[in-house]
Amino acid sequence: MTSATPSTLTIRPVEPHEHAEAGRVTVEAYRHSYDGLTEGYLASLADVAGRLAQGEVWVALDAVGQIVGTVWVPRPGERLSPLARKGELDFRQLAVAPAARGRGVGEALTRHVIDLARARGARRVVMNSGPEMIGAHALYLKLGFRRLTEREHPVEVEPGRFLDLRAFGFDL
């Protein structure tokens, strides 16, 4: 747990018996915030085991042990997205349960990712997100990320579905 984490919040790797709940929280957060998500994309958000095959899923738990947030990061020395470059730690699918919004969960998870990147020797933390994710963009800018406009271009997120992803970087 980082010093910036609220004292009632614990951040740790997801445990096998929590996969369904972590997936449900991630889907609920995205469904609450964004319109037009396909069933295929929502299913990918719920598939914690699938995400673990490619990286790590960290969960934020409140004082009573309920999962209130999730974030997906690569394993040390790997990357989740081909958009990430050597020496960067990218993260995806940062999600905060609607009932936990405004309690610092998203900031705590983002700071945790920054701490992981430092511990793993990364030079930069990067995040790509859709243009509609303005709340997340505001959080990243508040924490000192900067837009990487030179890396922004349409990306195929599902077969035939393209998004103009926004790119943000935090230099360590």
Side-chain angles (χ1 to χ4, degrees), residues 81-146:
S81 168
L83 299 175
R85 297 177 181 163
K86 186 175 172 81
E88 296 179 338
L89 187 144
D90 58 324
F91 67 105
R92 296 174 64 186
Q93 299 178 352
L94 177 73
V96 177
R101 302 259 166 100
R103 296 185 358 211
V105 176
E107 181 172 343
L109 283 166
T110 305
R111 289 185 186 280
H112 180 75
V113 170
I114 293 168
D115 290 346
L116 284 173
R118 280 192 179 109
R120 294 175 181 181
R123 64 175 173 74
R124 177 186 279 167
V125 176
V126 294
M127 175 57 168
N128 299 293
S129 63
E132 74 282 0
M133 298 178 179
I134 56 174
H137 301 166
L139 171 63
Y140 304 144
L141 294 172
K142 171 187 165 191
L143 294 177
F145 284 71
R146 67 179 176 82

Side-chain angles (χ1 to χ4, degrees), residues 18-111:
E18 298 170 320
H19 289 186
E21 181 62 12
R24 187 196 65 72
V25 167
T26 305
V27 168
E28 177 187 29
Y30 272 69
R31 189 176 270 147
H32 183 265
S33 297
Y34 312 114
D35 294 326
L37 300 176
T38 66
E39 289 305 313
Y41 185 67
L42 292 171
S44 76
L45 293 173
D47 183 12
V48 172
R51 285 187 274 156
L52 287 169
Q54 300 176 42
E56 303 170 350
V57 175
W58 291 77
V59 292
L61 296 103
D62 66 11
V64 297
Q66 295 294 313
I67 296 174
V68 293
T70 65
V71 67
W72 184 25
V73 300
R75 287 184 283 274
E78 296 180 4
R79 59 189 180 160
L80 295 176
S81 168
L83 299 175
R85 297 177 181 163
K86 186 175 172 81
E88 296 179 338
L89 187 144
D90 58 324
F91 67 105
R92 296 174 64 186
Q93 299 178 352
L94 177 73
V96 177
R101 302 259 166 100
R103 296 185 358 211
V105 176
E107 181 172 343
L109 283 166
T110 305
R111 289 185 186 280

